[in-house]
Amino acid sequence: VGGSMNLNTIYNEDCLEGIHKIKDGSIDLITTDPPYAIGTTSNGKKGNFTDNNLIKPFFDLLFKEYYRVLKDGGEFYICTDWRTYPFLYPILVKYFDVRNLIVWDYEWIKAGSHYRFSHEFIIYGFKGKNKRRFSASERDVWRIKPINFTSKDKLHQAQKPVELFEKMINNSSEEGDVVLDTFFGSGTTAIACLNSGRQYIGFELDENYFNIAQDRIRNHEQQLTLEVRP
């Protein structure tokens, strides 16, 4: 991928600093899950939407780097919600063809007082000219159950199911391709890549989640090794 960056590796550093070390046009696909409702308030209560302008320069620089490292025709999937989408969209369209807003239907109900939450969004698009890899019959509503909030196996407060990331990866890349995730969390992208024969590179600033992801990947690699033994 370039410079001092190695494939199938997570880096415990700021993604904006780390991504500069990746070569131009060396990434096949970006799948990532940045924090939602960033900058609204520090305590999660209702805030002023303009507070998001405090971190607008960060995402502008990051999406510019996404454009630089992504191959021409390369696709991206960015998880978000109804509060954060209007903030991210106008920054993304400066660099990419934002083609659709996928609805991830939980097939389940979460919290909420004025209509219970049962979906999130995934922003989908690509760089330059793109030839669709997936079936023309694919819908923009994906019904995949989330990680149960009370599950003892849950490793991250915003952890997504592996199946969700496998769908993105299988739809928009080939075996051996390189997938980038700049908000690695507990390592779901890596698990999906291992399951589908892709390579990955990622960044996770939080040392706790970085260590959790390392352990999770190591355990999954051992499990896959055991499964392929005769």
Side-chain angles (χ1 to χ4, degrees):
V1 179
S4 59
M5 311 303 285
N6 297 315
L7 291 174
N8 302 319
T9 305
I10 319 170
Y11 291 91
N12 182 207
E13 62 179 298
D14 187 319
C15 62
L16 203 53
E17 295 175 10
I19 199 171
H20 290 309
K21 304 170 192 172
I22 298 177
K23 278 185 180 178
D24 295 3
S26 59
I27 299 296
D28 296 286
L29 172 66
I30 296 171
T31 62
T32 196
D33 182 18
Y36 296 176
I38 318 167
T40 48
T41 60
S42 59
N43 60 5
K45 301 296 182 182
K46 184 179 179 182
N48 190 325
F49 184 75
T50 58
D51 291 342
N52 275 320
N53 287 326
L54 296 171
I55 44 85
K56 184 177 180 180
F58 170 84
F59 278 97
D60 190 70
L61 289 168
L62 182 62
F63 293 160
K64 186 177 181 180
E65 284 297 298
Y66 279 4
Y67 183 85
R68 180 184 67 79
V69 302
L70 196 62
K71 290 180 181 178
D72 190 56
E75 299 167 53
F76 65 84
Y77 293 87
I78 301 174
C79 297
T80 190
D81 71 353
W82 61 276
R83 297 163 295 185
T84 315
Y85 172 67
F87 166 70
L88 296 178
Y89 177 80
I91 309 173
L92 271 172
V93 292
K94 289 171 60 177
Y95 305 104
F96 297 102
D97 186 341
V98 179
R99 187 49 62 101
N100 211 331
L101 185 65
I102 297 165
V103 176
W104 170 30
D105 177 359
Y106 297 156
E107 293 189 313
W108 193 56
I109 297 173
K110 290 190 177 181
S113 58
H114 291 77
Y115 303 112
R116 301 277 293 276
F117 295 126
S118 64
H119 79 281
E120 290 178 28
F121 293 135
I122 303 167
I123 309 171
Y124 164 74
F126 45 80
K127 171 184 173 179
K129 294 182 179 179
N130 171 272
K131 186 177 181 181
R132 176 176 43 77
R133 303 167 190 253
F134 49 86
S135 168
S137 63
E138 277 275 9
R139 300 175 66 239
D140 61 2
V141 177
W142 295 359
R143 293 190 170 90
I144 297 171
K145 290 185 178 179
I147 304 292
N148 193 313
F149 184 78
T150 60
S151 172
K152 61 180 176 59
D153 298 321
K154 188 168 185 178
L155 301 170
H156 191 289
Q157 60 180 0
Q159 187 176 340
K160 301 292 189 293
V162 172
E163 184 185 350
L164 184 70
F165 277 72
E166 283 181 340
K167 187 171 178 66
M168 302 174 195
I169 289 166
N170 287 323
N171 278 6
S172 298
S173 67
E174 306 291 339
E175 282 194 33
D177 280 356
V178 181
V179 180
L180 171 67
D181 186 347
T182 52
F183 302 93
F184 220 75
S186 62
T188 300
T189 291
I191 304 303
C193 284
L194 289 169
N195 290 347
S196 53
R198 272 65 165 178
Q199 303 184 86
Y200 65 87
I201 186 166
F203 302 97
E204 176 51 49
L205 187 58
D206 187 300
E207 188 173 1
N208 178 51
Y209 289 129
F210 169 77
N211 290 327
I212 287 172
Q214 294 275 55
D215 290 342
R216 184 183 181 194
I217 292 165
R218 194 177 302 114
N219 291 337
H220 195 69
E221 285 175 333
Q222 290 173 352
Q223 181 183 335
L224 290 175
T225 302
L226 291 171
E227 288 175 359
V228 297
R229 284 181 181 172

